[in-house]
Amino acid sequence: MARPHRGTARLGHPGELIRDDLAESVRREGGRVLATLTRQFGSLDLAEEAVQDAVVRALEKWPDSGVPANPAGWLTTTAKNAARDRLRRSNKRGFKEEEAATMLMPPRAVHTESVVRDDLLRLIFTCCHPSLNLDAQVALSLRTLCGLTTSEIAAAFMVPESTMAQRLVRAKRKIAIAHIPYRVPPDEELGERVAAVLSVIYVLFTEAHHSSSSENPYRVDLAEEAIYLGRLVTGLIPEKPAAAGLLALMLATHARRASRVDERGDLVLMADQNRDLWDHDAISEADRLLNQALLMGAPDPYQLQAAISCVHGLAPTAEGTDWQEIVLLYDRLYEMQPTAVVAVNRAVALAELEGDEAGQMALETIEGVEHWHLYHAARAELFRRMGSLSEARGAYERALMCNPGPSDARFLEARLASLQA
């Protein structure tokens, strides 16, 4: 049954409401619709065009008929019909012939013998082709399959949006020139693509946990999708401890979701969160997964990050957090990944262990972060705690100049306003 337009007070803007509902449906289900069509028709390009046709059709019909009860099903059916129409027009074949051609697609388009069953995960493995560099594999998967915008992906990689747009264009061009097939790899080739697949899931979860564009600071649906995919990969390749480490990291982090925002939807710092709202069963599961993964060999970055998250999650209070253990884990993580992000997080932990001045000194030595708002936010918080209010104001203002996402901007503006008051 079609859902009627909502509310008489806003009847003057039905098109705007429909566009909002459609955008939400595409954001939630677009990747799976695209993956299903790619499996069935054997062409990502055709699937993308068909999904676009379906979205245009929805914008034409939904304002009059209302949003369907099952928007994802409507989009899938409409996109399938659009794909068949495109095939008929391009091949000049009749409908019955096209139906037969669709049903008798070559094995490479489906690859039912693969252990990969989920359509979305199938296509992530497909986009993570070894002939593309790792960053291109991850970016292409996130843009094409997971519904992230070029701006969101650029924020995740900490590069300008124009740079990321060029990378995506080059990746698609290379696939076209090299005739790289969109197919599920044989099971014996899955292992060489695991690193890229895990990176896709990790960035997907990171965007959910700290959205760079959404008004909502925590996108629960995106986080649950990443955890679902993480469970699939862990079950597919149990001998890969990195997969279990990533799943543990996501579970331990997602466990804090209920306390991350207040009743107004604004961010709450971890030290101020109500730990009674945390999902302690999920934290315990994450701890078990992590311990199992550590038995398989030396820890990798996912396991170290999971360990840090578990230390936070298992602490009974903020004051009872084992900051020495966290700093040691960050030291080990920085040896493996000497990035500015790790260095900033380590400095924040060091401030808790050795004092605010020690943390601030560590922050001042980090390079290449002048355009990252969280770096300036960390400086501002430590200045605030030390009573250096002028420096704190300057750091908050500098963070706001870095174009943070909507939820981060609200948080920073509130902190700055409290200083001025």
Side-chain angles (χ1 to χ4, degrees):
M1 179 177 177
R3 188 172 64 190
H5 296 313
R6 296 170 292 177
T8 57
R10 297 179 61 191
L11 282 178
H13 306 282
E16 182 178 328
L17 289 176
I18 292 300
R19 281 192 295 273
D20 289 345
D21 286 337
L22 178 59
E24 179 69 11
S25 296
V26 172
R27 183 176 68 81
R28 287 177 176 271
E29 303 293 344
R32 291 194 178 278
V33 174
L34 182 66
T36 298
L37 261 68
T38 303
R39 172 175 59 80
Q40 293 183 345
F41 290 91
S43 169
L44 180 58
D45 288 337
L46 175 63
E48 285 183 311
E49 292 170 351
V51 171
Q52 290 172 4
D53 290 344
V55 171
V56 171
R57 186 65 173 154
L59 285 172
E60 294 171 350
K61 290 185 67 67
W62 290 7
D64 295 326
S65 62
V67 179
N70 181 5
W74 190 98
L75 286 171
T76 301
T77 300
T78 305
K80 285 181 182 178
N81 292 335
R84 293 189 179 105
D85 288 343
R86 283 181 173 273
L87 283 174
R88 282 201 304 273
R89 289 197 300 269
S90 62
N91 296 325
K92 297 180 179 179
R93 292 185 289 192
F95 179 76
K96 291 184 178 180
E97 293 171 306
E98 195 54 62
E99 283 283 291
T102 301
M103 296 171 62
L104 298 173
M105 300 193 72
R108 71 171 183 83
V110 180
H111 258 278
T112 54
E113 68 271 17
S114 173
V115 297
V116 183
R117 300 299 178 208
D118 182 86
D119 278 343
L120 184 58
L121 187 59
R122 284 173 186 260
L123 210 46
I124 292 175
F125 268 105
T126 299
C127 282
C128 293
H129 195 280
S131 65
L132 301 174
N133 66 52
L134 182 60
D135 283 355
Q137 294 174 30
V138 175
L140 185 61
S141 298
L142 292 168
R143 179 69 186 95
T144 306
L145 307 173
C146 301
L148 298 193
T149 66
T150 304
S151 175
E152 290 168 341
I153 300 168
F157 281 84
M158 296 179 66
V159 299
E161 183 175 352
S162 58
T163 300
M164 182 52 63
Q166 291 172 358
R167 289 183 186 177
L168 290 168
V169 169
R170 286 197 296 268
K172 285 192 172 184
R173 184 181 300 133
K174 183 169 184 178
I175 287 174
I177 294 174
H179 300 292
I180 295 173
Y182 284 104
R183 63 176 178 84
V184 178
D187 295 343
E188 63 271 14
E189 295 179 12
L190 292 178
E192 65 180 353
R193 306 193 189 189
V194 168
V197 172
L198 294 180
S199 294
V200 171
I201 297 171
Y202 176 74
V203 176
L204 187 65
F205 184 81
T206 300
E207 173 61 25
H209 175 69
H210 204 111
S211 177
S212 60
S213 62
S214 174
E215 289 288 341
N216 189 343
Y218 195 87
R219 295 167 62 176
V220 174
D221 62 310
L222 209 58
E224 291 178 346
E225 179 81 334
I227 290 172
Y228 169 73
L229 293 171
R231 288 191 186 279
L232 284 180
V233 175
T234 302
L236 286 172
I237 315 177
E239 70 278 7
K240 295 287 185 180
L246 175 57
L247 179 57
L249 168 62
M250 294 189 294
L251 287 170
T253 305
H254 191 55
R256 303 193 296 268
R257 64 192 178 279
S259 61
R260 289 194 69 230
V261 296
D262 60 19
E263 62 277 2
R264 297 184 303 274
D266 294 329
L267 284 168
V268 178
L269 295 175
M270 188 185 296
D272 301 325
Q273 291 177 12
N274 181 357
R275 297 182 178 227
D276 291 338
L277 298 178
W278 290 3
D279 185 346
H280 296 282
D281 289 340
I283 295 171
S284 297
E285 181 186 0
D287 193 46
R288 288 194 302 272
L289 276 168
L290 177 61
N291 289 327
Q292 293 168 6
L294 290 173
L295 292 175
M296 300 183 197
D300 63 25
Y302 291 128
Q303 294 170 44
L304 291 171
Q305 292 178 76
I308 293 168
S309 193
C310 284
V311 172
H312 281 298
L314 294 171
T317 63
E319 296 74 19
T321 303
D322 189 346
W323 289 108
Q324 183 173 11
E325 177 69 13
I326 289 176
V327 171
L328 290 173
L329 288 167
Y330 273 124
D331 287 340
R332 185 70 184 280
L333 180 60
Y334 190 78
E335 292 174 2
M336 297 182 185
Q337 290 184 337
T339 66
V341 174
V342 176
V344 169
N345 282 292
R346 180 192 176 278
V348 172
L350 187 65
E352 299 294 338
L353 179 65
E354 298 183 5
D356 297 333
E357 290 188 4
Q360 193 66 262
M361 290 176 62
L363 283 173
E364 299 302 333
T365 65
I366 303 172
E367 299 179 349
V369 287
E370 58 272 9
H371 300 299
W372 188 34
H373 71 284
L374 293 181
Y375 165 72
H376 297 290
R379 292 179 65 245
E381 288 297 313
L382 293 185
F383 278 133
R384 180 194 189 99
R385 283 163 37 167
M386 290 188 292
S388 303
L389 301 189
S390 177
E391 289 84 353
R393 279 194 293 271
Y396 281 130
E397 290 169 351
R398 185 68 184 87
L400 286 166
M401 291 171 60
C402 296
N403 297 318
S407 59
D408 282 2
R410 288 199 307 272
F411 176 84
L412 293 168
E413 288 165 354
R415 303 294 270 190
L416 179 59
S418 69
L419 285 182
Q420 293 170 338

